């Protein structure tokens, strides 16, 4: 509560406290909106990439359009893409600025312009320089100051402009395709947010390069999602402007105390310790049955015969009791009724009303309808949950996807579990089923398989769709190591052995399964996955519809 300067004619100005509380609330609201806008801008940049019409684009056209989408962000205007050649040895400039033009901070030629002019594109050997390092390691490489980094004196023929550089590998299914380079002419510029945005951007670009045909179906969904986000953003901006207008109006009105308060749209009351209403403004009077004002506060807002916390169930904590007990302002959320009898979510601010002895002789209570804010927050939470589900789950089966599986696998390693297992499962003859009965039938079959696999394991085990007709199962906390993992593999084969009947068509389903156990079969996540994959292929060679253990390291 902000205290006013002492006025010889007035011991305290309660309206000043109310305005200060409203100003503080406005600052919180603006800060919340700023974070929301940043989130939506980031999502819009990624949505722009997903919205590319990739179905009929050549690779160079796709790369150029992807760069244009990325460079629409003012922080990421200087970009280039180097792709591995067919031999997988050299990285060649395939889009955006040439390497030296990128580092000099000049306009320069793009890869397409250089190709038309006959100038050879810049090439880097795999593992050579910062680009080669990013491609070889498959991990993001950052340079915080190009002028201070000796690697650029070797790679650039002219003076290097000082700035920040991110080299982000473009990967698909653990295979590096190329490197995205982003330069900004200022040292130490890029943040963790930039890195995460570019990593996600490159992941999406890698999938586009390998699976361009699949994105035709996604175009409609992404466009609709973008429109929805734009509409929501516009509504939030309008709400901010509305609140700013209300605050400006209150700042002007408080100079004319009684006239202004009586014209305030929000109900304001002065309440005695016995719950009697000593004074209320016009907005509060309009909530009463006869428009003249009821005797007690709980009659005005709750239309109840007893105070709001009797019986004391915690649903509506009484601000009067709280303020009288500790002498400080309090803010609570109640459910009030408007003049039409409709329930509204209301934020109640109660401040002490000093008596002749300086102790609280009651409270000044003002109410703000936050129903729209509560609804907006609920919608934002729902949107966040939807985005999380799309990012970490397979849209066809609803199972966790490769990204969530990798996170869980590395989490299991960090937990230092004594032993855990990994099952790699590949359906037998799925391509033949797909060719014979069509994609829609095959997709429904994958949904049935995913459901059976999920039902066959424990609740804390993770079943994920890895790719196509491949599934993985992460078995945590195995008490008997290989024996437990082998029993789970048997259960999975049994679960898939029942024929599947869809649209009066019955098909037999079987799978080849590879089983690897940490740490007996592998020392890290990558090796564990490779061991399980190799064991799966051994099961294939053994005649399919069976399972095999990985070769132990011990």
């Amino acid at each position: 509560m902000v205290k006013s300067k002492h006025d010889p004619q007035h011991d305290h100005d309660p309206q000043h406290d109310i305005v200060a509380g409203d100003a503080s609330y406005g600052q919180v609201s603006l800060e919340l909106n700023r974070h929301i806008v940043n989130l939506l801008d980031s999502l819009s940049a990624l949505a722009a990439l997903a919205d590319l019409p990739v179905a009929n684009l050549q690779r160079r056209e796709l790369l150029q359009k992807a760069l244009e989408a990325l460079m629409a962000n003012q922080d990421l205007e200087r970009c280039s893409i180097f792709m591995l050649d067919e031999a997988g040895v050299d990285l060649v400039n395939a889009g955006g600025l040439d390497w030296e033009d990128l580092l000099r901070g000049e306009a320069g030629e793009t890869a397409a312009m250089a190709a038309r002019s006959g100038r050879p594109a810049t090439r880097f050997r795999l593992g050579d320089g910062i680009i080669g390092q990013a491609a070889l390691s498959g991990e993001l490489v950052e340079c915080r100051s190009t002028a201070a980094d000796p690697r650029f004196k070797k790679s650039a023929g002219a003076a290097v402009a000082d700035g920040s550089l991110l080299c982000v590998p473009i990967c698909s299914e653990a295979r590096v395709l190329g490197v995205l380079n982003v330069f900004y002419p200022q040292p130490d510029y890029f943040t963790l947010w930039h890195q995460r945005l570019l990593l996600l951007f490159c992941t999406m670009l890698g999938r586009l390069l390998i699976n361009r045909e699949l994105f035709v179906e996604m175009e409609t969904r992404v466009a609709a999602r973008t429109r929805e986000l734009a509409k929501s953003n516009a509504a939030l901006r309008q709400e901010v402007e509305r609140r700013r207008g209300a605050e400006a109006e209150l700042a002007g009105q408080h100079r004319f105390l009684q006239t202004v308060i009586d014209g305030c749209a929000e109900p304001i009351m002065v309440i005695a310790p016995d719950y009697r209403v000593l004074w209320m403004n016009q907005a509060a009077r309009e909530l009463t049955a006869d428009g003249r004002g009821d005797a007690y506060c709980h009659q005005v807002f709750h239309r109840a015969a007893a105070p709001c916390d009797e019986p004391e169930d915690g649903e509506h904590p009484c601000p009067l009791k709280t303020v009288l007990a500790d002498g400080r302002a309090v803010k609570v959320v109640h459910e009030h009724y408007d003049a039409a009898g409709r329930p509204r979510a209301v934020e109640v601010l109660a401040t002490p009303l000093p008596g002749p002895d300086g102790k609280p002789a009651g409270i000044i209570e003002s109410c703000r309808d936050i129903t729209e804010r509560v609804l907006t927050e609920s919608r934002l939470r729902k949107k966040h949950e939807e985005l999380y589900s799309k990012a970490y789950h397979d849209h066809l089966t609803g199972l966790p996807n490769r990204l969530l599986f990798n996170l869980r696998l590395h989490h299991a390693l960090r937990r230092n579990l004594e032993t855990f297992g990994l099952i790699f499962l590949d359906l037998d003859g799925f391509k033949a089923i797909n060719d014979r009965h069509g994609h829609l039938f095959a997709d429904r079959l994958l949904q049935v398989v995913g459901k059976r696999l999920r039902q066959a394991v424990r609740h804390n085990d993770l079943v994920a769709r890895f790719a196509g007709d491949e599934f993985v199962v992460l078995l945590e906390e195995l008490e008997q190591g290989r024996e437990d993992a082998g029993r789970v593999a048997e259960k999975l084969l049994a679960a898939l052995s029942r024929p599947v009947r869809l649209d009066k068509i019955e098909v037999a389903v079987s799978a080849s399964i590879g089983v690897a156990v940490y740490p007996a079969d592998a020392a890290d996540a990558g090796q564990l996955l490779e061991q399980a994959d190799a064991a799966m292929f051994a099961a294939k060679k053994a005649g399919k519809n069976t399972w095999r253990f990985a070769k132990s390291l011990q």
Side-chain angles (χ1 to χ4, degrees):
M1 180 174 67
V2 179
K3 295 184 178 180
S4 62
K5 294 183 179 179
H6 179 69
D7 187 337
Q9 299 180 355
H10 299 84
D11 291 334
H12 184 70
D13 185 355
Q15 182 61 20
H16 186 80
D17 291 339
I18 297 171
V19 174
D22 288 342
S24 176
Y25 173 81
Q27 292 174 359
V28 173
S29 177
L30 290 176
E31 182 67 15
L32 174 62
N33 184 71
R34 183 178 72 81
H35 286 297
I36 293 174
V37 170
N38 285 340
L39 172 62
L40 295 178
D41 287 344
S42 300
L43 294 175
S44 297
L46 297 176
L49 175 62
D51 200 33
L52 289 177
V54 299
N56 300 314
L57 292 178
Q58 298 298 318
R59 190 179 76 164
R60 183 176 293 278
E61 295 175 320
L62 174 60
L63 293 175
Q64 188 59 41
K65 289 185 178 294
L67 279 177
E68 292 173 0
L70 181 62
M71 291 164 64
N73 189 312
Q74 62 181 1
D75 292 345
L76 310 172
E77 293 179 342
R78 304 195 60 76
C79 305
S80 68
I81 291 180
F82 281 69
M83 300 298 292
L84 280 171
D85 59 11
E86 294 183 359
V89 175
D90 289 339
L91 289 156
V92 184
N93 186 9
L97 295 174
D98 197 24
W99 180 247
E100 295 184 1
D101 295 329
L102 178 73
L103 297 182
R104 283 199 301 263
E106 301 174 356
E109 288 185 332
T110 64
M113 296 169 59
R116 289 195 295 269
S117 65
R119 192 182 78 174
T122 303
R123 305 174 73 92
F124 286 91
R125 181 72 62 172
L126 184 65
D128 184 21
I130 190 169
I131 298 182
Q133 293 173 10
L136 182 62
S137 66
E139 297 180 353
L140 181 146
V141 179
E142 179 181 14
C143 174
R144 294 184 177 275
S145 173
T146 53
D149 195 318
R151 291 175 292 187
F152 296 94
K153 296 179 181 179
K154 299 178 181 180
S155 59
V160 177
D162 195 10
S164 306
L165 178 68
L166 291 178
C167 295
V168 188
I170 303 171
C171 304
S172 178
E173 299 183 359
R175 181 166 64 94
V176 176
L177 305 176
V179 178
L180 168 66
N181 310 287
V182 181
F183 178 79
Y184 193 88
Q186 178 181 326
D188 294 314
Y189 182 77
F190 294 116
T191 65
L192 181 61
W193 174 86
H194 291 100
Q195 295 182 16
R196 290 182 175 176
L197 173 62
L198 293 175
L199 284 170
L200 183 55
F201 182 89
C202 289
T203 298
M204 295 175 65
L205 181 57
R207 292 174 181 172
L208 286 174
L209 290 168
I210 300 299
N211 305 300
R212 295 196 300 267
E213 296 80 4
L214 297 180
F215 277 82
V216 174
E217 179 183 353
M218 292 297 296
E219 285 183 359
T220 303
R221 298 184 182 181
V222 173
R225 190 63 170 159
T226 302
R227 289 193 298 270
E228 183 179 348
L229 290 173
K231 183 178 179 181
S232 177
N233 191 28
L236 289 173
R237 292 182 184 276
Q238 291 176 359
E239 176 65 11
V240 171
E241 293 300 322
R242 187 191 70 78
R243 292 181 183 273
R244 286 176 177 172
E247 292 166 4
E249 180 182 352
L250 288 175
Q253 289 178 346
H254 82 280
R255 299 184 186 93
F256 309 97
L257 183 59
Q258 183 61 46
T259 303
V260 173
I261 294 177
D262 210 29
C264 179
E266 298 177 348
I268 301 174
M269 296 192 304
V270 177
I271 304 172
D274 60 357
Y275 304 102
R276 286 184 301 110
V277 178
L278 303 178
W279 177 90
M280 65 172 61
N281 70 345
Q282 181 62 33
R285 287 194 295 272
E286 290 176 354
L287 296 177
T288 63
D290 57 8
R292 294 179 296 177
D294 289 324
Y296 298 96
C297 60
H298 49 83
Q299 294 175 334
V300 177
F301 291 129
H302 298 286
R303 301 190 176 184
C308 54
D309 63 346
E310 294 181 8
E312 297 183 357
D313 56 4
E315 182 179 357
H316 295 100
C318 180
L320 175 62
K321 287 186 175 181
T322 304
V323 173
L324 293 178
D326 58 24
R328 293 182 297 178
V330 65
K331 185 181 292 185
V332 296
V333 176
H334 279 189
E335 182 181 272
H336 286 181
Y337 291 90
D338 61 14
R342 297 169 300 188
R344 308 291 291 178
V346 175
E347 185 178 69
V348 179
L349 174 64
T351 56
L353 176 67
D357 58 356
K359 297 180 180 180
I363 62 170
I364 304 168
E365 182 174 292
S366 64
C367 304
R368 178 184 293 273
D369 189 335
I370 60 170
T371 305
E372 295 303 322
R373 190 186 80 184
V374 172
L375 293 176
T376 299
E377 292 174 351
S378 176
R379 287 193 291 267
L380 287 174
R381 283 194 297 270
K382 184 177 180 181
K383 293 181 189 301
H384 180 269
E385 292 171 358
E386 292 174 353
L387 289 173
Y388 179 88
S389 178
K390 288 186 178 180
Y392 291 104
H393 290 81
D394 175 52
H395 74 280
L396 178 63
T397 64
L399 294 174
N401 59 14
R402 180 194 294 259
L403 178 59
L404 182 54
F405 164 75
N406 286 331
L407 291 175
R408 283 284 299 272
L409 178 57
H410 286 83
H411 178 68
L413 289 171
R414 290 194 299 270
R415 289 174 59 193
N416 295 321
L417 296 176
E418 183 175 346
T419 181
F420 62 89
L422 175 62
I423 291 179
F424 199 108
L425 183 149
D426 184 88
L427 296 181
D428 299 328
F430 181 77
K431 183 178 183 303
I433 295 175
N434 185 73
D435 293 341
R436 182 176 180 180
H437 300 291
H439 294 298
L440 293 178
F441 183 91
D443 287 346
R444 293 176 61 191
L445 178 60
L446 288 174
Q447 293 172 342
V448 173
V449 169
K451 183 177 181 180
R452 289 187 179 182
L453 294 177
R454 179 64 266 178
Q455 294 174 343
V457 298
R458 300 172 300 179
H459 178 73
N460 62 328
D461 294 331
L462 177 74
V463 178
R465 185 185 178 195
F466 203 68
D469 60 342
E470 296 177 344
F471 297 83
V472 288
V473 182
L474 183 61
L475 306 172
E476 298 188 18
E477 300 179 358
L478 296 177
E479 294 182 358
Q480 299 182 9
R482 283 191 159 217
E483 294 182 11
D484 288 342
R487 282 192 288 269
V488 174
E490 291 286 357
K491 287 183 64 177
L492 295 179
L493 288 178
L496 296 178
S497 64
R498 302 191 308 273
V500 177
R501 187 176 183 84
L502 298 171
D503 296 333
K504 300 182 180 180
I505 300 175
E506 185 174 286
V507 295
V509 180
S510 66
S512 299
I513 295 177
V515 181
V517 176
Y518 175 89
D521 301 332
D524 55 44
Q527 190 177 28
L528 186 65
L529 188 60
E530 291 175 359
Q531 288 281 74
D533 185 45
M536 181 273 292
F537 277 106
K540 288 279 188 186
K541 292 180 180 179
K544 303 180 180 180
N545 194 26
T546 187
W547 63 276
R548 290 291 184 270
F549 274 124
K551 295 182 179 179
S552 176
L553 298 178
Q554 300 177 356

